[in-house]
Amino acid sequence: MSGKIGIDVGGTFTDFYYVGEEGNPYIHKTLSTPQDPSIAVVEGLREIAASLNPPMELEEFASSIDKIVHGTTVTTNATLTRNGAKSGLITTSGLRDALEMRRGIREEQYNNHYTNVVPLVPRYLRIGVGGRLDRNGNEIEPLDLDGVRDAIEQFRHQDVEAVSICLMNSFANPDHEKQVAEMVRRHMPQAYLTVSSELLPTIRFYPRVSTTALNSYIGPILSRYIDRLQDRLKDIGFGGVLLIMQSNGGVMAPTVARDSAALTLLSGPAAGPGAGLVHARVHGQNKCIVVDMGGTSFEAALVDNSPVMVTEGEIDRHRLALPMLGIHTIGAGGGSIGRIDEGGLLRMGPESAGASPGPVSYGKGGEKPTCTDANLVLGYLNPDFFAGGKMALDREAARRAVDEHIAKPLGMSIEEAAAGMYRVVCNNMAQGVREITIKRGFDPREFPMVVAGGAGPIHSCLIAAELEIPLQIVPRSSSILCAVGMLMSDLKHDFVRTFVSPMEEIDWNRLAAVVEGMIGEGRSLLTGELISADNQQFFIKFDCRYLKQYHEVSFTVSSEDFQNQDVAAITNAFHREHNRLYGYSLDDGKAVVEIINVRVQALGISDKPNYRETDCAGQSAVAALKGERSVYIPEDDAFDIVPVYDGHKMFHGNLVEGPAMIEEDTTAIFVSRDYACICDKLDSFTIYKKSREDLVASTLAASTTAEQGK
């Protein structure tokens, strides 16, 4: 027997997607253990083993698993809670305050009270040393080795756990950084070390020093977690391959993750977009918006042929200049706490009740009303069927909390207050979707929305109505879509080198050598991860700009254009991307286009589970009807009695007219009055605007034919 399993550790739940030898998927969720996430991982494996038919002992089950792909929030949480390692920074003399000065631009330009984020490395542990290179990497001043020794001695005296090295212009010549790194390794062999010219050898000092400092800050935390996880898995008999999810949507070996911990920031939600595209393609779409609402946060990502990537981002206001999926995250989950702000307005989140104590209705000590409590009051959740009946919810406790903290202060009924909480959190999520669509030059109305997360399908109709999105897809594995995506992810490694030159003056021999060097690094890593040469692919990207612009545009360069040194084709590709992003391009031939960075992505193709299409069962969903209950209808701003269906008994072609509720063990789906839902050939719940039957015409036709044949 052999199996594969994807594991996504969230702030409230840890999700599991297990595919056994016969290819039948198994979905499971267990409460997370924030104090040590590896505990929930092992406990979830134990619960899966016990629920199999026939049941298995944990050790027997673990030994049958070939591959585990694991997404973790350990590094994200360490950054957000400021619980990382005590870190020191060695930089060029005169530049130690760059980490605090950043780009010299106030994020909220008209807010004079807005202060910079506190650096991850305190000032007394940011030490400048003599030595200087010019922009071309030529030595102007030799490295001050005595200054480096003094810095190391101070770090040792202060019990520094992690060290960052980032010197001016080291992207052009890493020699000085290599000398510093050799001394740190010799005198502080136990320290976690990040060298900027190894992690991010690119131009622009602040993004480079910020990314380097972030990597060191979280590196020891991730290393310890991976060690604990591997030890626990070894203790229960797991002998397969463990892979760690990256922020770029790929996976990597634990050894790579230890050295480049910053690659795991936002790694959990990075798996969802690829899985979402599979479900969109069933409806002839090669693009989609993927939203994931869990217990703590809401993530939105855009897929246009492939997941949209960005080369820079932020986490808790700290700059991160590594390639990652363009995922926007806000504090809007089932555990998001409702409150009245100082101006008397209703707010939802970003504070979350998390897994412990959790929402008030969990009965674990929570006192403040959350989104989950509001959903319970509104009838969207069945208190006796939460998590498939494994966990009972206390509706009266939820009502009391909403009444005390929201309804009475606002002078309204409990139901009105709960409806307000529901609308506010949906509006917050709609704004999150705008961040990854409208602000990046995309129209959300042109994209189907793939809805994930245990709480997502309860809110998706109101989000879609706000954004005028006519088609939603709720996969059968919606509640654990990121865990599913992990088993569909390939190994990925991104490389970047600064290469500044006008496009018309490129030294192609030198550029080819740079690209080949990065491809060689990628080939070496993939071979070490047991990926055969036939399954290795390499993609080239350029970061270009018009001369004197500050920001670059990143775009893919075809291997054919690169090999042919086709400057015109490459320049036109830049113009098109610039026009898509900003609404204009200077393609009249007068503007000089300048290349700044060249990138290579090394891709290792891995085996993936197959999705099985099902036969059409006809339109009637009567066999799945399990009852009815009172539910809040947003279009009517009132409650109504609606039918409730068992989602596990609905199959390809089954049609449900809204308003209605569809319940599964790990999620609930609310089909609002203006929408209908039909199961597609992957048995996904496809929710469409009632006036847009054309979007599901083939499924409707198949279900009608199957119904007539009965």
Side-chain angles (χ1 to χ4, degrees):
M1 182 176 180
S2 62
K4 299 177 177 62
I5 190 163
I7 304 175
D8 178 25
V9 177
T12 305
F13 288 99
T14 296
D15 300 337
F16 298 81
Y17 184 73
Y18 170 66
V19 179
E21 189 175 29
E22 297 178 356
N24 297 320
Y26 183 91
I27 295 171
H28 185 71
K29 297 174 79 76
T30 192
L31 285 172
S32 296
T33 50
Q35 71 279 12
D36 182 355
S38 65
I39 295 175
V41 170
V42 174
E43 185 58 31
L45 294 175
R46 187 188 311 277
E47 292 167 358
I48 294 173
S51 61
L52 294 176
N53 187 19
M56 298 175 67
E57 293 295 328
L58 174 60
E59 291 74 13
E60 180 187 3
F61 176 63
S63 64
S64 72
I65 300 173
D66 288 337
K67 180 170 73 173
I68 292 178
V69 183
H70 180 47
T72 175
T73 56
V74 167
T75 52
T76 304
N77 293 341
T79 305
L80 297 178
T81 61
R82 290 303 184 94
N83 196 31
K86 186 174 184 179
S87 304
L89 169 66
I90 297 177
T91 187
T92 300
S93 179
L95 297 177
R96 71 170 181 164
D97 289 323
L99 201 58
E100 193 152 8
M101 295 168 65
R102 307 199 294 172
R103 293 171 54 210
I105 300 172
R106 186 189 296 134
E107 292 159 281
E108 295 186 7
Q109 295 184 23
Y110 304 106
N111 182 355
N112 291 327
H113 299 285
Y114 200 73
T115 58
N116 277 347
V117 64
V118 177
L120 298 176
V121 184
R123 194 170 192 269
Y124 75 97
L125 292 177
R126 304 196 301 262
I127 301 176
V129 298
R132 194 65 178 259
L133 305 172
D134 68 14
R135 64 179 184 176
N136 296 315
N138 300 314
E139 186 176 82
I140 300 173
E141 177 187 340
L143 181 65
D144 180 4
L145 299 180
D146 290 334
V148 176
R149 293 188 188 94
D150 291 343
I152 293 172
E153 187 57 36
Q154 182 171 339
F155 291 162
R156 294 175 63 184
H157 179 71
Q158 294 290 338
D159 296 323
V160 165
E161 188 178 3
V163 176
S164 300
I165 302 171
C166 187
L167 305 180
M168 177 63 78
N169 293 329
S170 62
F171 68 89
N173 181 355
D175 182 60
H176 281 189
E177 285 197 351
K178 288 181 178 179
Q179 292 181 56
V180 178
E182 194 278 328
M183 293 176 67
V184 172
R185 291 187 176 105
R186 188 188 324 136
H187 297 288
M188 298 180 66
Q190 302 304 317
Y192 186 94
L193 178 62
T194 306
V195 183
S196 79
S197 54
E198 296 175 359
L199 180 69
L200 187 67
T202 60
I203 199 170
R204 296 213 173 97
F205 189 74
Y206 171 65
R208 184 156 50 90
V209 71
S210 177
T211 304
T212 303
L214 256 174
N215 195 76
S216 287
Y217 185 73
I218 58 177
I221 307 297
L222 181 66
S223 293
R224 287 194 290 268
Y225 173 67
I226 290 177
D227 288 342
R228 287 196 304 270
L229 178 64
Q230 289 183 312
D231 287 344
R232 290 185 187 276
L233 292 175
K234 182 179 179 181
D235 289 344
I236 63 174
F238 173 69
V241 174
L242 173 66
L243 296 172
I244 307 298
M245 196 71 204
Q246 298 186 67
S247 304
N248 65 2
V251 295
M252 58 184 167
T255 51
V256 179
R258 284 191 179 91
D259 293 336
S260 305
L263 294 175
T264 66
L265 289 164
L266 304 176
S267 77
L277 183 59
V278 172
H279 294 278
R281 283 174 173 158
V282 170
H283 300 275
Q285 299 278 357
N286 210 34
K287 57 186 180 181
C288 61
I289 297 166
V290 179
V291 298
D292 188 341
M293 182 184 182
T296 304
S297 62
F298 170 84
E299 286 92 20
L302 191 78
V303 181
D304 188 12
N305 292 309
S306 62
V308 173
M309 300 283 294
V310 295
T311 56
E312 275 197 11
E314 286 188 350
I315 178 167
D316 197 29
R317 299 173 62 199
H318 298 287
R319 180 67 62 173
L320 179 65
L322 294 172
M324 66 188 81
L325 297 192
I327 297 173
H328 184 71
T329 302
I330 61 173
S336 292
I337 295 172
R339 58 187 171 85
I340 308 299
D341 68 12
E342 59 273 12
L345 298 177
L346 173 61
R347 304 288 187 186
M348 294 296 295
E351 297 84 7
S352 174
S356 179
V360 175
S361 53
Y362 280 16
K364 294 185 176 183
E367 298 179 352
K368 297 180 180 179
T370 67
C371 180
T372 294
D373 297 315
N375 289 342
L376 184 60
V377 171
L378 296 175
Y380 298 137
L381 294 175
N382 182 344
D384 300 319
F385 193 68
F386 190 72
K390 297 177 183 177
M391 185 176 177
L393 299 181
D394 189 337
R395 178 183 289 166
E396 289 307 311
R399 289 178 61 85
R400 288 194 298 271
V402 172
D403 187 33
E404 177 185 352
H405 294 277
I406 307 295
K408 286 181 178 177
L410 293 178
M412 55 178 58
S413 70
I414 296 174
E415 289 75 16
E416 288 173 330
M421 295 170 69
Y422 176 75
R423 287 184 178 277
V424 168
V425 79
C426 287
N427 184 268
N428 291 346
M429 290 186 284
Q431 186 58 38
V433 175
R434 290 188 179 99
E435 292 287 333
I436 55 100
T437 52
I438 295 171
K439 285 194 173 183
R440 295 179 185 167
F442 296 96
D443 187 342
R445 296 172 296 184
E446 299 175 355
F447 291 75
M449 186 168 73
V450 180
V451 186
I458 291 176
H459 302 80
S460 61
C461 281
L462 197 56
I463 298 171
E466 174 73 18
L467 299 169
E468 300 181 39
I469 296 174
L471 183 66
Q472 308 161 50
I473 304 167
V474 182
R476 187 68 68 163
S477 55
S478 166
S479 65
I480 50 101
L481 188 68
C482 286
V484 175
M486 289 173 189
L487 292 188
M488 301 175 64
S489 300
D490 296 314
L491 286 93
K492 288 183 183 178
H493 301 291
D494 290 292
F495 305 90
V496 59
R497 297 289 185 272
T498 290
F499 189 97
V500 181
S501 171
M503 285 293 296
E504 297 291 345
E505 300 175 15
I506 289 178
D507 181 341
W508 284 97
N509 290 332
R510 188 165 69 89
L511 180 58
V514 170
V515 169
E516 282 302 317
M518 290 189 283
I519 289 176
E521 289 183 56
R523 185 174 288 114
S524 177
L525 279 174
L526 292 176
T527 301
E529 292 169 325
L530 305 181
I531 300 296
S532 67
D534 291 341
N535 288 327
Q536 297 179 13
Q537 297 178 4
F538 302 92
F539 302 92
I540 302 170
K541 277 191 170 186
F542 283 1
D543 294 351
C544 290
R545 66 184 182 186
Y546 294 118
L547 191 64
K548 296 187 179 180
Q549 276 187 322
Y550 182 77
H551 296 286
E552 297 84 47
V553 169
S554 186
F555 61 100
T556 300
V557 175
S558 73
S559 57
E560 181 180 359
D561 289 343
F562 184 80
Q563 294 295 334
N564 293 336
Q565 303 177 14
D566 194 335
V567 172
I570 295 172
T571 303
N572 286 333
F574 164 72
H575 290 317
R576 288 194 299 271
E577 183 65 6
H578 194 283
N579 184 68
R580 188 193 66 77
L581 286 171
Y582 303 113
Y584 77 96
S585 64
L586 306 178
D587 55 358
D588 56 4
K590 297 179 181 179
V592 176
V593 176
E594 186 178 39
I595 181 173
I596 301 298
N597 297 313
V598 59
R599 301 176 184 272
V600 166
Q601 183 175 83
L603 189 69
I605 307 299
S606 62
D607 294 332
K608 302 172 181 64
N610 294 319
Y611 278 91
R612 296 179 179 178
E613 297 183 1
T614 57
D615 295 330
C616 193
Q619 284 191 5
S620 177
V622 172
L625 187 63
K626 60 188 290 189
E628 59 183 22
R629 67 170 177 265
S630 178
V631 167
Y632 175 74
I633 311 299
E635 293 93 335
D636 304 335
D637 195 20
F639 283 77
D640 198 1
I641 302 297
V642 307
V644 180
Y645 294 87
D646 183 346
H648 298 292
K649 294 181 180 179
M650 289 183 62
F651 304 102
H652 181 192
N654 287 177
L655 178 66
V656 168
E657 297 280 348
M661 290 297 307
I662 301 172
E663 293 181 342
E664 291 194 301
D665 288 351
T666 55
T667 194
I669 303 168
F670 173 53
V671 184
S672 198
R673 186 176 300 282
D674 291 341
Y675 294 85
C677 175
I678 189 168
C679 289
D680 64 25
K681 58 187 178 182
L682 293 184
D683 285 341
S684 296
F685 302 98
T686 305
I687 304 170
Y688 60 95
K689 190 86 170 174
K690 286 181 179 177
S691 59
R692 294 299 308 274
E693 285 81 3
D694 58 296
L695 296 171
V696 291
S698 60
T699 305
L700 281 170
S703 64
T704 301
T705 302
E707 197 70 28
Q708 293 171 347
K710 287 186 177 180

